[in-house]
Amino acid sequence: MATQWRSRERNYPEELESWHLERVTVENEDYHPLKLITVTESKTKKVGRKESTSSSSSSSSSNSVADPLSSVLDGTDPLSLFAATTTEPVASNVEGKRKKNETEVYVGSDFEPWSSKRGEILARYTTTEKLSINLFMGSDRGKPTNTGSAVSEKVRTRLEELDDLEEGSQKELLNLTQQDYISRIEELNQSLKDSWASDQKVKALKIVIQCSKLLSDTTVIQFYPSKFVLITDILDTFGKLVYERISSMCTDSRSLLPANFSPETVNDTAKETCLNWFFKIASIRELVPRFYVEAAILKCNTFLSKTGISESLPRLTSMIRGIGDPLVAVYARAYLCRVGMEVAPNAKESLNRNFFDFLLTFKLIHSDTVQNQLAVQAVEIPIYLTLYSPAIDWMLRCIAYRAPETLLTEMMERCKKQGNNALLLNSVMSAFRADFIATRSMDFIGMIKECDESGFPKHLLFRSLGLNLALADPHENDRLQILNEAWKVITKLRNPQDYINCAEVWVEYTCKHFTKREVNTILADIIKHMTPDRAYEDAYQQLQSVITKVITHFQDFSVLFSVEKFLPFLDMFQKESVRVEVCKCIMEAFIRHQQEVTKDPVILNALLHVCKTMHDSVNALTLEDEKRTLSNLINGFIRMVSFGRDFEQQLSFYVETRSMFCNLEPVLIQLIHSVNHLAMETKKVMKGNHSRKTASFVRACVAFSFITIPSLTSVFTRLNLYLLSGQVALANQCLSQADAFFKAAVSLVPDVPKTINIDGKMRSSEPFLLEFLANFFSTLLVVPDHPEQGVLFLVRGLLNVIEDYTWEDNSDDKVRIYTSVLHLLAALSQESYLYHVSKVDSNDNLYGGDTKFLAEINRLCDTLIGQILEHLKTLGKEKTLKRQSYLALLIFNSILAHGDLRNNKLNQLAVNLWNLAQKHGFADTKTMVKTLEYIKKKSKEPEWSHFSDLAARLPLQSRT
């Protein structure tokens, strides 16, 4: 070989010391780099052209400058200055804003809006019966009239158009399914918007009237609450369109009407248009559509007078008295409350009067007319009464919002005086504040007992009471009696669905206020009721809610799993998907609440069963995200298990879990890490001096990893775990086991795929391989040679694998690896290595600087340099000159750092590489200049004097 490598000798302690920062002695003891800087201000006063006097003021608190960020504290930053300039106008406009936000201030975020009820009503009140709807057919007269028409003619035409609607300009669609009906309503809503956008205002009004008429129809009575929700959506759209239309007439296109405007600021045209809308609506003949459409545009009264809304509410309340059907009437009252809360939340007297009117007509619910209607539709009284709940609940919710205690008490007393008052009682418990209900729990239980069982079901009343007691606590002395009274009724329920709906609510009350004994009793009762005829299959959602509530309140899992019926309760989840979700819920709670590691056998056995259930649900169709979630939960459990100093028991636990969770690779990886950690903990306890017993135990840990790693599919995961486990074995003086790990890693390198999946995208694997090999080389420095394998057998084996590996085209990674190996070999040739493993003799101790060993290293280095130079020639032939320049400078720097440049051949090689890097003008001039400056600087030191000759032979070539 033409080149003869010779590594330079290194003295690592001296090099480390030379790189320490220089210590600087500070004369001023008060100096600190983070202390505020004091700046003195100099003032110069000109006396004449030739004379000047200067004076400097001493530093003081007035002219000392703090750091820039502290200026935020005194309000001098730009944002504070801006805020200061706008303070006065804001203050002067407080009164206006108070008026503007009057509704927002009164109706706060604690008020549950109607929109939150909408979805619940649509989901609950459904039907399988056929429905009918009237579709507006339209007419030519619905189009805008010519502007030249007289006003009287225009009015006459519009009145005729309104009459058209009641004289048959509509088409009835029969036999619609519920979904078809909803689709038709949505079509009407869109038709309303389209008509309005095309300036066909009367046609839009006709659509709204037609839809409002549908609220008079109760032929499919179970669907009425959902119908109410759908129709009032259209009314809301209409009300918004009318209000925005009139509002736009009050201002020009460049400005908006302020929210706190007064009727005096509204121009006559807008007022006339507003009155015109109210007159049109007043001409509607039928009561129900007339009421709903006027209520929809109630807010428009603000354009006419300040008292318009407060005067209209009582009149609209009185109009409802003319509606004969009690169900239609109660929803009309609910709509009036809803609109009233939006536009005039302070008008509580009108809302109260509206509800008191309802109480006066409450007895009509049980009238003969209603009974006959229910008989025709084959609807039972309990089902019929539940149709009232959304409307009554909403009215009471509006009344109870921020109401004084006296009003709530009065409302409760009035409801109590009504006959068959179970429906009202349920609504009171649903609408009033939870703390109001909880403090009067025994009174409500007394009222529930007095209710007629044939009407509104008692179990629904107890459910409503339980919902309140889950939010607020009753008096401590009453808690047990309340539970006993409620459970007497609940446990007698024969319908499993009714039972579980009620029991689910009371579980939370029991968990909050009682011990595991009472909770165990409740769970046993639920099992007893839900097991016959596999009733639990129709109640998975409620049963899952029960589990969630129990584990939420029992955060001590040793107590939770000592509840005798808890695990039998889990057995009711026979559907696999539901059972897995419940197990995930339990594991999430354990990881979230378990603060300390545990070895409690009760907890371990129970959670192993839970984790096993999750693991066994994995199959070929399971998504990767689901596998990852399950693995994270199981790993969280594994990390929380510790047997303290009983390391053998800990290892036995890991062996058991490996056999249980073999289908989830992340769990196996976690187990390997845990066992490696266990081996290092053993070393720590023994302070590096293993006894015969601990040495045997550590070898068992190493064997666990060696057996487990091959079962993993990811090549890079296996490579990294082989290296990590080999390092652990080496640290514990298990040399033969460490060699086995490193040999396995070397033999696995040829299996590295060319591309790997990273976040769903295929990426080249070579950067990851380079990173692994760099880590591997740093480990090989301290690995002693095997007495039977020859000098540097692992390094040689790895080089052979690298040589045979198929690298990407146009890749220089192989040369980069060879460069890293050069660094390793240079380190191996030192008399004392940079680092060692405790209790392990590395090659510097084994060979003691033996000349044969050093000669073997130099031969390897020469071989590598030959390979590198061959690659550089190849790059020159292929005209890939930029890569050639980069690599030439890389090798030059490696020789500069690790080679002994007193060797003439190596010195000449360095010069040749320097010239090659610059030859074709691709070298970074700035880098070359800095490198040369470094060489010249080092040449001034005695031990680096030979660098002066090298520097003289390194020319700098300009690109030109």
Side-chain angles (χ1 to χ4, degrees), residues 824-839:
L824 168 63
L825 294 173
L828 283 166
S829 65
Q830 302 303 314
E831 187 176 341
S832 178
Y833 292 168
L834 179 59
Y835 48 84
H836 294 85
V837 175
S838 178
K839 311 288 184 186

Side-chain angles (χ1 to χ4, degrees), residues 766 807-813 816 871 875 878 880 883:
E766 287 191 9
W807 300 92
E808 289 184 10
D809 296 336
N810 302 321
S811 170
D812 300 320
D813 289 337
R816 291 190 179 91
H871 184 77
L875 292 179
E878 295 175 0
T880 49
R883 286 165 53 198

Side-chain angles (χ1 to χ4, degrees), residues 867-929:
Q867 295 275 2
I868 292 170
L869 294 177
E870 192 66 33
H871 184 77
L872 288 175
K873 289 179 183 177
T874 305
L875 292 179
K877 292 177 182 178
E878 295 175 0
K879 305 299 182 183
T880 49
L881 301 176
K882 189 173 183 178
R883 286 165 53 198
Q884 184 191 58
S885 173
Y886 172 79
L887 288 178
L889 186 59
L890 176 67
I891 308 307
F892 173 83
N893 286 325
S894 296
I895 294 174
L896 191 67
H898 300 281
D900 185 357
L901 290 173
R902 288 171 293 193
N903 180 300
N904 292 332
K905 291 185 178 180
L906 198 58
N907 192 300
Q908 184 59 47
L909 174 62
V911 173
N912 293 341
L913 289 168
W914 176 270
N915 292 330
L916 181 62
Q918 299 182 96
K919 184 176 181 181
H920 301 286
F922 289 103
D924 183 4
T925 306
K926 188 181 293 186
T927 303
M928 304 294 283
V929 170

Side-chain angles (χ1 to χ4, degrees), residues 538-578:
D538 298 321
Y540 283 139
Q541 183 178 353
Q542 293 89 335
L543 294 174
Q544 195 170 348
S545 175
V546 170
I547 288 290
T548 302
K549 290 170 181 175
V550 171
I551 62 179
T552 299
H553 290 89
F554 283 83
Q555 296 181 4
D556 186 344
F557 276 74
S558 60
V559 175
L560 175 64
F561 290 124
S562 64
V563 176
E564 183 184 350
K565 294 298 180 180
F566 183 76
L567 291 178
F569 190 94
L570 294 181
D571 292 337
M572 286 195 292
F573 295 98
Q574 295 293 312
K575 188 177 179 181
E576 185 179 72
S577 59
V578 180

